[in-house]
Amino acid sequence: MWAYFKFELSQFITNKKNIAIYAILLFLACFYAMKIAPSYEPIEKVDAKEIEARYLSREAFLSTFYNDPNRFVGMAGFGLAIYPEWNNLDKARLDALKDHDFVKYSEATSEWYVYANNITYGNERFFYSPGYYSHGNLYASEDGYYGYLYTASRYKGYAEGDYKLSLNVFEERTALQTLQRLLHSDLPMILMICCIFLTVDVVLKDRLNPTILRGFPISDWKKLIIKGIVSLIGSIGVILPLSVGLIIIGIRYGFGDFQLPVPIYTTLSKPSYFNKGEFVNTAMGNYLVDNVIFIVFCFMYLILLVLLVSMIIKNEFANLLAGAIFIFNESFFFQRGIGFFYEVENYPTNYVQVGQIVSGYRNYIYNSNALNFNHGLMIVGMSTSVLLVFIFIISKYKRYKLI
Amino acid sequence: MRKLLKTNFIIEKSSKKNVLTFLFVALFVFGLAIFMENKDVGNLVIQKTSEYQNLTSALSRFQEMDASQDGDSSDIYQNLNQQQRLVTLQRAAANLDRPEMFVNSAIELSNLRKVAFDLEGYEDVAVYLPTYTENQLESIFYENLRTLGIPIFKDNLTFYQFLIFLFGILGSIWFIFLAFYSCGLMIDDFRHTSIIKGYPIPFEQYVAAKGISTLSIILLVIVELVICSLPLIYFRGLGDSSYPVAVFDGDFEIYTITQYIGVCLLYMVCIAIFVILLSIILNMLLKNMYLTLFVQLFLFTLPMLLPKLISLFPFNPYNYMNFTSLLNGESLDLSNPVVLNSTHGLISILLSIVILVVVIRLFLSTGRLRRV
């Protein structure tokens, strides 16, 4: 069995297609690090000018209206009630920025975001940062709510932590934070697509040289398991080319720290003021480990799926199609808020966006509370074992012989 | 040659790949229809609500002031306020089913936006507004609707309206689909070189037969796309084939739906021939279908990754592979704007096809075939 494993592994590594996949990933990683990462514009920037403009105009309003006899006419009273505290926070942020006191800035900023969100959410007169209101976004205020409280929780973590703070950390530009942002968007899908491409011919390539391979004294079932393990190792190996990009980003913007806070949206405790969940910080290291575990589970599921399909249909395009259906299925029926009506947490295809599952964002946009790490592992793991049983049964049938 | 084609068709008929492809295409069309139904694509009220939100956040960047004509506010502020008023009017018109009012205010709105491009301080609010090209297309579309006197369509799932949407999506994925479909072309033959060498016909004819049989399958796929949309006639009605579509074709113009679909079909067939020929050449050189696939996709994404290349080499056929964005004039909104013309695109693709044919005739022969 060990000899067969070595044989499969050497075939896997020398396969032209697999080398090409690693090369493409290396190119993409470098391209991202050189071109795309530097032009990243966070919505919540550290911008002293913006704070100052807001602070000064509100200060002017307060000083004119404070002793005005008409101060309770119209909305002026509302302004007089909310602006003083808001301005204090803005002043604290400005002063901290001027003194380069990042801890104080974090404290004030965290409070600022909570305060601003309490007033802005559901209010027609105030707006979140303009970046949320992109063309055609109907859920801008919901995104703003998430973004503000996410940022507040993040800054709270910075104020309490004992690592080196910098503007790059605040704007999530360091290598680890970039990885976190990517996991939150497209990276899991890219990894899974790579996994499918790496696995797609692992069974069917044997059909080209049947006479040689029929001689191995090893059962089909064991062969399949070894092929699966080799593909899993290869799929996890895509981390290598991607880490080159991370190193480039790290050299430019700093690597960050494994203790950096990552806010997780949770709904387990009692609902908050706006009947939503709240954010709890976890360490960057934990977040990444959770992601890696989850992605490995998804890899196992995909690999077994591809193995099963290649046994039954024996066509590489069928493999691609089956994998693509697993990855893109969610986007066909996805709608915000349907988690309230349907049990979205019971479908393994809803766990493709791994980073968003771990950070709770999927729960937020589905308006559900069950799409979490543990439940996901259970669902994907159960589906994986079902596939494994199928493969075991089918491998006993002569009709579905590998070669 | 005819006998060979017959053999090829028999092979294609029993190929699992083709069955899967047809299945996939049918699933795609039905999935798209369900997706549109779910998302309520083309619902005017939703569209206008989002536009209203954008304008509100654009206005929030200004101090609130007197926005009347003789007020002391800036021109852009007044302009945005008027835009917001018109959008509100449109939303009401869509709700109350008053197509004429909708179109009239749409024309007024696009005129206002045209003015806004030259006003001071436009750059600050540009993200919230449609680009110049989008506005031009909208303006010409509504003007045409008014002159023709056709009421604006609200049901985007009628047959013809759905086809427009379908071909719009196909623009960005047709090449990718073809690259996947054709990447394995002739690879099987390299595994049995002795058979090819035994055929009593020249190699070019063999390649031609292979290309023609693949192309006919792709034509069948196109027919399938239309057939799968036919049930919509039963569910939602036929729609109007002379309904206008605004396109950029070197100039802002109006096509009817039939014309638009015609141009799309022409592009789709040309792209299909191009991809088939390139796949054959790449397969001969690389001898691995996945490498062929990756090279094709890389060439396709290169102009998107580096938009500067488009203005450097405007005649690169890969600039024209996404025919929807071409017809939408998206190249005008790049950081280095280029005028990409759909006729030039066709010429460019056809020229490349000729070059590929010449390459196949000159450099590839049976003698070069080796077992993989």
Side-chain angles (χ1 to χ4, degrees), chain A residues 15-17 20-21 24 27 31 35 57 127 130 133-138 140 197 200-201 208 313-318 320-321 325 331-335, chain B residues 16-17 20 24 31-32 35 38-39 46 49-51 53-54 56-57 60-61 63 128 130 180-181 183 191 286-291 293-294 298 305-306:
Chain A
N15 190 332
K16 266 194 219 163
K17 174 205 67 173
I21 291 174
I24 290 173
F27 168 78
F31 184 82
K35 282 281 280 207
S57 61
F127 291 93
Y133 300 87
S134 51
H135 196 77
N137 185 1
L138 282 173
F197 269 110
V200 69
D201 63 344
L208 297 180
I313 307 186
K314 299 195 172 77
N315 185 303
E316 298 187 19
F317 286 92
L320 287 178
L321 196 62
I325 287 175
S331 53
F332 275 104
F333 63 82
F334 171 73
Q335 261 181 309
Chain B
K16 276 180 203 159
K17 190 172 106 181
L20 285 172
F24 169 74
L32 194 67
F35 171 83
N38 264 345
K39 284 260 155 119
I46 293 182
T49 308
S50 117
E51 245 174 77
Q53 262 185 2
N54 284 323
T56 318
S57 40
S60 75
R61 309 203 70 174
Q63 296 262 322
Y128 305 106
F180 270 94
Y181 181 76
C183 65
R191 294 187 182 136
L286 303 169
K287 301 208 164 49
N288 184 316
M289 59 188 255
Y290 292 102
L291 289 184
L293 178 66
F294 294 149
F298 178 74
L305 293 178
L306 303 166

Coordinates of all heavy atoms in Angstrom, one line a residue, chain A residues 15-17 20-21 24 27 31 35 57 127 130 133-138 140 197 200-201 208 313-318 320-321 325 331-335, chain B residues 16-17 20 24 31-32 35 38-39 46 49-51 53-54 56-57 60-61 63 128 130 180-181 183 191 286-291 293-294 298 305-306:
Chain A
N15 N 2.4 15.4 -12.9 CA 1.3 15.7 -13.9 C 1.4 17.2 -14.4 O 1.5 18.1 -13.6 CB 0.0 15.4 -13.2 CG -1.2 15.5 -14.1 OD1 -1.1 16.1 -15.1 ND2 -2.2 14.8 -13.8
K16 N 1.5 17.3 -15.7 CA 1.6 18.7 -16.3 C 0.5 19.6 -15.8 O 0.8 20.8 -15.5 CB 1.6 18.6 -17.8 CG 2.9 18.4 -18.5 CD 2.6 18.7 -20.0 CE 3.4 17.8 -20.9 NZ 2.9 17.8 -22.2
K17 N -0.7 19.1 -15.8 CA -1.8 19.9 -15.4 C -1.7 20.4 -14.0 O -1.9 21.6 -13.7 CB -3.1 19.0 -15.5 CG -4.3 19.7 -15.0 CD -5.4 18.7 -14.6 CE -4.9 18.0 -13.4 NZ -5.8 17.1 -12.8
A20 N 0.8 23.1 -13.8 CA 0.2 24.3 -14.3 C -0.7 25.0 -13.3 O -0.6 26.3 -13.2 CB -0.6 24.0 -15.6
I21 N -1.4 24.2 -12.5 CA -2.3 24.8 -11.5 C -1.5 25.6 -10.5 O -1.8 26.7 -10.1 CB -3.2 23.8 -10.9 CG1 -4.2 23.3 -11.9 CG2 -3.9 24.4 -9.6 CD1 -5.0 22.1 -11.4
I24 N -0.1 28.8 -12.0 CA -1.2 29.8 -12.2 C -1.4 30.5 -10.8 O -1.5 31.7 -10.7 CB -2.5 29.2 -12.7 CG1 -2.2 28.9 -14.2 CG2 -3.6 30.2 -12.6 CD1 -3.4 28.1 -14.8
F27 N 1.3 32.8 -9.9 CA 1.1 34.0 -10.7 C 0.0 34.9 -10.1 O 0.2 36.1 -9.9 CB 0.8 33.7 -12.2 CG 0.3 34.9 -13.0 CD1 1.3 35.8 -13.4 CD2 -1.0 35.1 -13.2 CE1 0.8 36.9 -14.2 CE2 -1.4 36.2 -13.9 CZ -0.5 37.1 -14.4
F31 N 0.4 38.5 -8.5 CA -0.3 39.6 -9.2 C -1.1 40.3 -8.1 O -1.2 41.6 -8.1 CB -1.2 39.0 -10.2 CG -2.0 40.1 -11.0 CD1 -1.4 40.7 -12.0 CD2 -3.3 40.4 -10.7 CE1 -2.1 41.7 -12.8 CE2 -4.0 41.3 -11.4 CZ -3.4 42.0 -12.4
K35 N -0.3 44.1 -7.5 CA -1.2 45.1 -8.1 C -2.5 45.4 -7.3 O -2.9 46.5 -7.2 CB -1.7 44.5 -9.5 CG -0.7 44.6 -10.6 CD -0.6 45.9 -11.2 CE -1.5 46.4 -12.2 NZ -0.8 47.4 -13.1
S57 N -17.9 71.3 11.7 CA -19.2 71.8 11.3 C -20.2 71.6 12.4 O -21.0 72.4 12.7 CB -19.7 71.2 10.0 OG -19.8 69.8 10.1
F127 N -26.4 58.9 7.8 CA -25.9 57.9 6.8 C -24.7 57.2 7.3 O -23.9 57.8 8.0 CB -25.7 58.5 5.5 CG -26.9 58.9 4.8 CD1 -27.4 60.2 4.9 CD2 -27.7 58.0 4.1 CE1 -28.6 60.6 4.3 CE2 -28.8 58.4 3.5 CZ -29.3 59.7 3.6
P130 N -20.1 56.5 3.1 CA -20.6 56.5 1.8 C -20.2 55.2 1.0 O -21.0 54.8 0.1 CB -20.0 57.7 1.1 CG -19.0 58.2 2.0 CD -19.3 57.8 3.4
Y133 N -23.0 52.6 0.2 CA -24.1 52.9 -0.7 C -23.7 52.8 -2.2 O -23.7 53.8 -2.9 CB -24.7 54.3 -0.4 CG -25.2 54.4 1.0 CD1 -24.3 54.8 2.0 CD2 -26.5 54.2 1.3 CE1 -24.8 54.9 3.3 CE2 -27.0 54.3 2.6 CZ -26.1 54.7 3.6 OH -26.6 54.8 4.8
S134 N -23.1 51.7 -2.6 CA -22.7 51.6 -4.0 C -23.9 51.4 -4.8 O -25.0 51.1 -4.4 CB -21.8 50.4 -4.1 OG -22.4 49.2 -3.6
H135 N -23.7 51.6 -6.1 CA -24.8 51.7 -7.1 C -25.6 50.3 -7.1 O -25.0 49.3 -7.3 CB -24.3 52.0 -8.5 CG -25.3 52.4 -9.4 ND1 -25.9 53.6 -9.4 CD2 -26.0 51.7 -10.4 CE1 -26.8 53.7 -10.4 NE2 -26.9 52.6 -11.0
G136 N -26.8 50.3 -6.8 CA -27.6 49.1 -6.9 C -27.6 48.3 -5.6 O -28.2 47.2 -5.6
N137 N -27.0 48.8 -4.5 CA -27.0 48.0 -3.3 C -28.3 48.4 -2.5 O -28.4 49.5 -2.0 CB -25.8 48.3 -2.5 CG -25.7 47.5 -1.2 OD1 -26.6 46.7 -1.0 ND2 -24.6 47.7 -0.5
L138 N -29.2 47.4 -2.4 CA -30.5 47.7 -1.7 C -30.3 47.6 -0.2 O -31.2 48.0 0.6 CB -31.5 46.8 -2.1 CG -32.1 47.1 -3.5 CD1 -33.1 46.0 -3.9 CD2 -32.9 48.4 -3.4
A140 N -27.8 48.6 1.8 CA -26.7 49.4 2.3 C -26.7 49.7 3.8 O -25.7 49.6 4.4 CB -26.7 50.8 1.5
F197 N -9.9 20.8 -9.8 CA -9.0 20.6 -11.0 C -7.9 19.6 -10.7 O -7.5 18.8 -11.5 CB -8.4 21.9 -11.5 CG -9.3 22.6 -12.5 CD1 -10.0 23.7 -12.2 CD2 -9.4 22.0 -13.7 CE1 -10.8 24.3 -13.1 CE2 -10.2 22.6 -14.7 CZ -10.9 23.8 -14.4
V200 N -9.6 16.0 -10.7 CA -10.5 15.6 -11.7 C -10.0 14.3 -12.5 O -10.9 13.5 -12.9 CB -10.8 16.8 -12.7 CG1 -9.6 17.2 -13.5 CG2 -11.9 16.5 -13.6
D201 N -8.7 14.2 -12.7 CA -8.3 13.0 -13.5 C -7.6 12.0 -12.7 O -7.0 11.1 -13.2 CB -7.4 13.5 -14.6 CG -6.1 14.1 -14.1 OD1 -6.1 14.4 -12.9 OD2 -5.1 14.3 -14.8
L208 N -5.8 5.0 -19.3 CA -4.9 5.1 -20.4 C -3.9 3.9 -20.5 O -3.5 3.5 -21.6 CB -4.2 6.4 -20.4 CG -5.1 7.7 -20.5 CD1 -4.2 8.9 -20.5 CD2 -5.9 7.6 -21.7
I313 N -19.7 7.7 -13.8 CA -19.9 8.2 -15.1 C -18.7 8.0 -16.0 O -18.7 8.0 -17.2 CB -20.4 9.7 -15.1 CG1 -21.6 9.8 -14.2 CG2 -20.8 10.2 -16.4 CD1 -22.2 11.2 -14.1
K314 N -17.5 8.0 -15.4 CA -16.3 7.8 -16.1 C -16.0 8.9 -17.1 O -15.7 8.6 -18.3 CB -16.2 6.4 -16.7 CG -16.3 5.3 -15.7 CD -16.0 4.0 -16.3 CE -15.9 2.9 -15.3 NZ -17.2 2.4 -14.9
N315 N -16.2 10.1 -16.8 CA -16.0 11.2 -17.8 C -15.5 12.4 -17.0 O -16.1 12.8 -16.0 CB -17.3 11.5 -18.5 CG -17.0 12.6 -19.6 OD1 -16.6 13.7 -19.3 ND2 -17.3 12.2 -20.8
E316 N -14.4 13.1 -17.5 CA -13.8 14.1 -16.7 C -14.7 15.4 -16.6 O -14.7 16.1 -15.7 CB -12.5 14.5 -17.3 CG -11.5 13.3 -17.2 CD -10.1 13.6 -17.6 OE1 -9.7 14.8 -17.6 OE2 -9.4 12.7 -17.9
F317 N -15.5 15.6 -17.7 CA -16.4 16.7 -17.7 C -17.5 16.6 -16.7 O -18.0 17.5 -16.1 CB -17.0 17.0 -19.1 CG -16.0 17.6 -20.0 CD1 -15.2 16.7 -20.8 CD2 -15.7 18.9 -20.0 CE1 -14.2 17.3 -21.6 CE2 -14.7 19.4 -20.8 CZ -14.0 18.6 -21.6
A318 N -17.9 15.3 -16.5 CA -18.9 15.1 -15.4 C -18.4 15.4 -14.1 O -19.1 16.0 -13.2 CB -19.3 13.6 -15.5
L320 N -16.1 17.7 -13.5 CA -16.1 19.2 -13.4 C -17.5 19.7 -13.1 O -17.6 20.6 -12.2 CB -15.6 19.8 -14.7 CG -14.1 19.7 -14.9 CD1 -13.7 20.3 -16.3 CD2 -13.3 20.4 -13.9
L321 N -18.4 19.2 -13.7 CA -19.8 19.6 -13.6 C -20.3 19.4 -12.2 O -20.9 20.3 -11.5 CB -20.7 18.9 -14.6 CG -22.1 19.5 -14.8 CD1 -21.9 20.9 -15.5 CD2 -22.9 18.6 -15.8
I325 N -21.3 22.3 -9.6 CA -22.6 22.4 -9.0 C -22.5 22.6 -7.5 O -23.2 23.4 -6.9 CB -23.5 21.2 -9.3 CG1 -23.9 21.2 -10.8 CG2 -24.7 21.1 -8.4 CD1 -24.6 20.0 -11.2
S331 N -25.4 30.3 -5.2 CA -25.7 31.6 -5.8 C -27.0 31.6 -6.6 O -27.5 32.7 -6.9 CB -24.5 32.0 -6.6 OG -24.2 31.0 -7.5
F332 N -27.5 30.4 -6.9 CA -28.7 30.4 -7.7 C -29.9 30.8 -6.8 O -30.9 31.4 -7.3 CB -28.9 29.1 -8.4 CG -28.2 29.0 -9.7 CD1 -27.1 28.2 -9.8 CD2 -28.7 29.6 -10.8 CE1 -26.4 28.2 -11.0 CE2 -28.0 29.6 -12.0 CZ -26.9 28.9 -12.1
F333 N -29.9 30.3 -5.6 CA -31.1 30.6 -4.8 C -30.9 31.6 -3.7 O -31.8 31.9 -2.9 CB -31.7 29.3 -4.2 CG -30.8 28.6 -3.3 CD1 -30.8 28.9 -2.0 CD2 -30.1 27.5 -3.7 CE1 -30.0 28.3 -1.1 CE2 -29.2 26.8 -2.9 CZ -29.2 27.2 -1.6
F334 N -29.7 32.1 -3.6 CA -29.4 32.9 -2.4 C -30.2 34.2 -2.5 O -30.3 34.9 -3.5 CB -27.9 33.3 -2.5 CG -27.6 34.4 -1.4 CD1 -27.5 34.0 -0.1 CD2 -27.3 35.7 -1.8 CE1 -27.2 35.0 0.8 CE2 -27.0 36.6 -0.9 CZ -27.0 36.3 0.4
Q335 N -30.8 34.5 -1.3 CA -31.5 35.8 -1.2 C -31.3 36.2 0.3 O -31.2 35.3 1.2 CB -33.0 35.6 -1.4 CG -33.4 36.0 -2.8 CD -34.9 35.9 -2.9 OE1 -35.4 34.8 -2.6 NE2 -35.6 36.9 -3.4
Chain B
K16 N -20.3 11.0 -23.9 CA -20.9 11.4 -22.7 C -20.8 12.9 -22.5 O -21.6 13.5 -21.9 CB -20.2 10.7 -21.5 CG -20.7 9.3 -21.2 CD -19.9 8.8 -20.1 CE -20.0 7.2 -20.1 NZ -18.9 6.6 -19.3
K17 N -19.7 13.4 -23.0 CA -19.4 14.8 -22.8 C -20.5 15.7 -23.4 O -21.0 16.6 -22.8 CB -18.1 15.2 -23.5 CG -17.6 16.6 -23.2 CD -16.2 16.7 -23.8 CE -16.3 17.6 -25.0 NZ -15.0 17.8 -25.6
L20 N -23.7 15.5 -21.3 CA -23.5 16.3 -20.1 C -23.6 17.8 -20.5 O -24.2 18.6 -19.7 CB -22.2 16.1 -19.5 CG -22.0 14.8 -18.7 CD1 -20.6 14.5 -18.3 CD2 -22.9 14.8 -17.5
F24 N -26.2 20.4 -19.0 CA -25.7 21.6 -18.3 C -26.4 22.8 -18.8 O -26.9 23.7 -18.1 CB -24.2 21.7 -18.4 CG -23.6 23.0 -18.0 CD1 -23.6 23.2 -16.6 CD2 -23.2 23.9 -18.9 CE1 -23.0 24.4 -16.2 CE2 -22.7 25.1 -18.5 CZ -22.6 25.4 -17.1
G31 N -32.2 27.5 -14.6 CA -31.7 28.1 -13.4 C -31.7 29.6 -13.5 O -32.1 30.3 -12.6
L32 N -31.3 30.1 -14.7 CA -31.3 31.6 -14.9 C -32.7 32.2 -14.8 O -32.9 33.2 -14.2 CB -30.7 31.9 -16.3 CG -30.4 33.3 -16.5 CD1 -29.2 33.7 -15.6 CD2 -30.0 33.5 -18.0
F35 N -33.6 32.2 -11.2 CA -32.9 33.3 -10.6 C -33.5 34.6 -10.9 O -33.7 35.4 -10.0 CB -31.4 33.2 -11.2 CG -30.6 34.4 -10.8 CD1 -29.9 34.4 -9.6 CD2 -30.4 35.4 -11.7 CE1 -29.1 35.4 -9.2 CE2 -29.6 36.5 -11.3 CZ -28.9 36.5 -10.1
N38 N -36.6 35.0 -8.9 CA -36.3 35.2 -7.5 C -35.9 36.6 -7.2 O -36.3 37.2 -6.3 CB -35.2 34.3 -7.1 CG -35.7 33.0 -6.5 OD1 -36.9 33.0 -6.1 ND2 -34.9 32.0 -6.4
K39 N -34.9 37.1 -8.0 CA -34.3 38.4 -7.8 C -35.2 39.5 -8.2 O -34.9 40.7 -8.0 CB -33.0 38.5 -8.5 CG -31.9 37.7 -7.7 CD -31.0 38.6 -6.9 CE -30.4 37.8 -5.8 NZ -29.0 37.7 -5.7
I46 N -37.8 48.6 -7.7 CA -36.6 48.3 -7.0 C -35.4 49.1 -7.5 O -34.6 49.7 -6.8 CB -36.3 46.8 -7.1 CG1 -37.4 46.0 -6.3 CG2 -34.9 46.5 -6.5 CD1 -37.1 44.5 -6.3
T49 N -35.7 52.6 -6.5 CA -35.4 52.8 -5.0 C -33.9 52.8 -4.8 O -33.4 53.7 -4.0 CB -36.0 51.6 -4.2 OG1 -37.3 51.5 -4.6 CG2 -35.9 51.8 -2.8
S50 N -33.2 52.0 -5.5 CA -31.7 52.0 -5.2 C -31.1 53.3 -5.8 O -30.2 53.8 -5.2 CB -31.1 50.7 -5.9 OG -30.2 51.0 -6.9
E51 N -31.6 53.7 -6.9 CA -31.1 55.0 -7.4 C -31.4 56.2 -6.4 O -30.6 57.0 -6.2 CB -31.8 55.3 -8.8 CG -30.8 55.3 -9.9 CD -31.6 55.5 -11.2 OE1 -32.0 56.6 -11.5 OE2 -31.7 54.5 -11.9
Q53 N -31.7 55.9 -3.2 CA -30.7 55.8 -2.1 C -29.4 56.4 -2.5 O -28.8 57.1 -1.7 CB -30.5 54.3 -1.8 CG -31.3 53.8 -0.6 CD -31.0 52.4 -0.3 OE1 -30.1 51.8 -0.9 NE2 -31.7 51.8 0.7
N54 N -28.9 56.1 -3.7 CA -27.6 56.6 -4.1 C -27.6 58.1 -4.1 O -26.7 58.8 -3.7 CB -27.3 56.1 -5.5 CG -26.8 54.7 -5.5 OD1 -26.2 54.3 -4.6 ND2 -27.2 54.0 -6.5
T56 N -29.5 60.1 -2.4 CA -29.6 60.6 -1.0 C -28.2 60.6 -0.4 O -27.9 61.6 0.3 CB -30.6 59.7 -0.2 OG1 -31.7 59.4 -1.0 CG2 -31.0 60.5 1.0
S57 N -27.5 59.5 -0.6 CA -26.2 59.6 0.0 C -25.2 60.5 -0.7 O -24.3 61.1 -0.1 CB -25.6 58.2 0.1 OG -25.8 57.4 -1.1
S60 N -26.0 63.7 0.9 CA -25.6 63.9 2.3 C -24.1 64.4 2.4 O -23.7 64.7 3.4 CB -25.7 62.5 2.9 OG -24.6 61.7 2.5
R61 N -23.4 64.4 1.2 CA -22.1 65.0 1.3 C -22.1 66.5 1.3 O -21.0 67.1 1.4 CB -21.3 64.4 0.1 CG -21.4 62.9 0.0 CD -20.2 62.4 -0.7 NE -19.0 62.5 0.1 CZ -17.8 62.0 -0.3 NH1 -17.7 61.4 -1.4 NH2 -16.8 62.1 0.5
Q63 N -23.7 70.3 2.7 CA -24.5 70.9 3.7 C -25.9 71.2 3.2 O -26.0 71.5 2.0 CB -23.9 72.3 4.0 CG -22.5 72.2 4.6 CD -22.5 72.3 6.1 OE1 -23.3 73.1 6.6 NE2 -21.6 71.5 6.7
Y128 N -21.8 57.7 -7.1 CA -23.2 57.4 -6.9 C -24.1 57.5 -8.1 O -25.2 57.2 -8.1 CB -23.8 58.5 -5.9 CG -23.0 58.5 -4.6 CD1 -22.2 59.6 -4.3 CD2 -23.1 57.5 -3.7 CE1 -21.4 59.6 -3.1 CE2 -22.4 57.5 -2.5 CZ -21.5 58.6 -2.3 OH -20.8 58.6 -1.1
P130 N -24.7 57.0 -12.5 CA -24.2 56.2 -13.6 C -23.1 56.9 -14.4 O -23.0 58.1 -14.4 CB -25.5 56.0 -14.5 CG -26.5 56.9 -13.9 CD -26.1 57.4 -12.6
F180 N -13.9 25.3 -22.1 CA -14.1 24.1 -21.4 C -14.5 23.0 -22.4 O -14.0 21.9 -22.4 CB -15.1 24.2 -20.3 CG -14.6 24.6 -19.0 CD1 -14.5 25.9 -18.6 CD2 -14.1 23.7 -18.1 CE1 -14.0 26.3 -17.4 CE2 -13.5 24.0 -16.9 CZ -13.5 25.4 -16.6
Y181 N -15.4 23.3 -23.3 CA -16.0 22.3 -24.2 C -14.9 21.8 -25.2 O -14.9 20.6 -25.4 CB -17.2 22.9 -24.9 CG -17.8 21.9 -25.8 CD1 -18.6 20.8 -25.3 CD2 -17.6 21.8 -27.2 CE1 -19.1 19.9 -26.1 CE2 -18.1 20.9 -28.0 CZ -18.9 19.9 -27.4 OH -19.4 18.9 -28.2
C183 N -11.6 22.1 -25.1 CA -10.2 21.9 -24.7 C -9.7 20.4 -24.9 O -8.5 20.2 -25.1 CB -9.9 22.3 -23.2 SG -10.8 21.2 -22.1
R191 N -4.2 9.7 -28.9 CA -3.9 8.4 -28.2 C -4.0 7.3 -29.2 O -3.6 6.2 -28.9 CB -5.0 8.3 -27.1 CG -4.8 9.3 -26.1 CD -5.6 9.1 -24.9 NE -5.4 10.2 -23.9 CZ -6.3 10.9 -23.3 NH1 -7.6 10.6 -23.5 NH2 -6.0 11.9 -22.5
L286 N 0.8 21.4 -26.9 CA 1.0 21.1 -25.5 C 0.6 19.6 -25.1 O 1.1 19.1 -24.1 CB 0.1 22.0 -24.7 CG 0.3 23.5 -24.9 CD1 -0.8 24.3 -24.2 CD2 1.6 23.9 -24.3
K287 N -0.2 19.0 -25.9 CA -0.6 17.6 -25.7 C -1.3 17.4 -24.4 O -1.1 16.3 -23.8 CB 0.6 16.7 -25.9 CG 1.2 16.8 -27.3 CD 1.9 15.6 -27.6 CE 2.2 15.5 -29.1 NZ 2.9 16.7 -29.6
N288 N -1.9 18.4 -23.8 CA -2.6 18.2 -22.5 C -3.8 19.1 -22.5 O -3.7 20.3 -22.7 CB -1.6 18.5 -21.4 CG -2.2 18.2 -20.1 OD1 -3.4 18.6 -19.8 ND2 -1.5 17.6 -19.2
M289 N -5.0 18.5 -22.3 CA -6.2 19.4 -22.5 C -6.3 20.4 -21.4 O -6.8 21.5 -21.6 CB -7.4 18.5 -22.5 CG -7.6 17.6 -21.3 SD -9.0 16.5 -21.5 CE -10.3 17.3 -20.5
Y290 N -5.8 20.1 -20.2 CA -5.9 21.1 -19.1 C -5.0 22.3 -19.4 O -5.3 23.4 -19.1 CB -5.6 20.5 -17.8 CG -6.7 19.5 -17.4 CD1 -6.5 18.1 -17.5 CD2 -7.9 20.0 -17.0 CE1 -7.5 17.3 -17.2 CE2 -8.9 19.1 -16.7 CZ -8.7 17.7 -16.8 OH -9.7 16.9 -16.5
L291 N -3.8 22.0 -19.9 CA -2.9 23.1 -20.2 C -3.5 24.0 -21.3 O -3.5 25.2 -21.2 CB -1.5 22.6 -20.7 CG -0.7 21.9 -19.7 CD1 0.7 21.5 -20.3 CD2 -0.4 22.8 -18.5
L293 N -6.7 24.5 -21.8 CA -7.7 25.2 -21.1 C -7.2 26.4 -20.3 O -7.6 27.5 -20.4 CB -8.5 24.3 -20.1 CG -9.6 24.9 -19.3 CD1 -10.7 25.3 -20.2 CD2 -10.1 23.9 -18.3
F294 N -6.1 26.1 -19.6 CA -5.5 27.2 -18.8 C -4.9 28.3 -19.7 O -5.1 29.5 -19.4 CB -4.4 26.7 -17.9 CG -4.9 25.8 -16.8 CD1 -4.2 24.7 -16.3 CD2 -6.2 25.9 -16.3 CE1 -4.7 23.9 -15.4 CE2 -6.7 25.1 -15.4 CZ -6.0 24.0 -14.9
F298 N -6.3 32.1 -19.6 CA -5.3 33.1 -19.3 C -5.4 34.2 -20.3 O -5.4 35.4 -20.0 CB -3.9 32.5 -19.2 CG -2.8 33.5 -19.0 CD1 -2.7 34.0 -17.7 CD2 -2.0 33.9 -20.0 CE1 -1.7 35.0 -17.4 CE2 -1.0 34.9 -19.7 CZ -0.9 35.4 -18.4
L305 N -7.2 41.8 -16.5 CA -6.3 42.0 -15.4 C -5.5 43.3 -15.7 O -5.2 44.0 -14.7 CB -5.3 40.8 -15.3 CG -5.9 39.5 -14.8 CD1 -4.8 38.4 -14.8 CD2 -6.5 39.7 -13.4
L306 N -5.1 43.5 -16.9 CA -4.3 44.7 -17.2 C -5.0 45.5 -18.3 O -4.8 45.3 -19.5 CB -2.9 44.2 -17.8 CG -2.1 43.4 -16.9 CD1 -1.0 42.7 -17.6 CD2 -1.6 44.2 -15.7

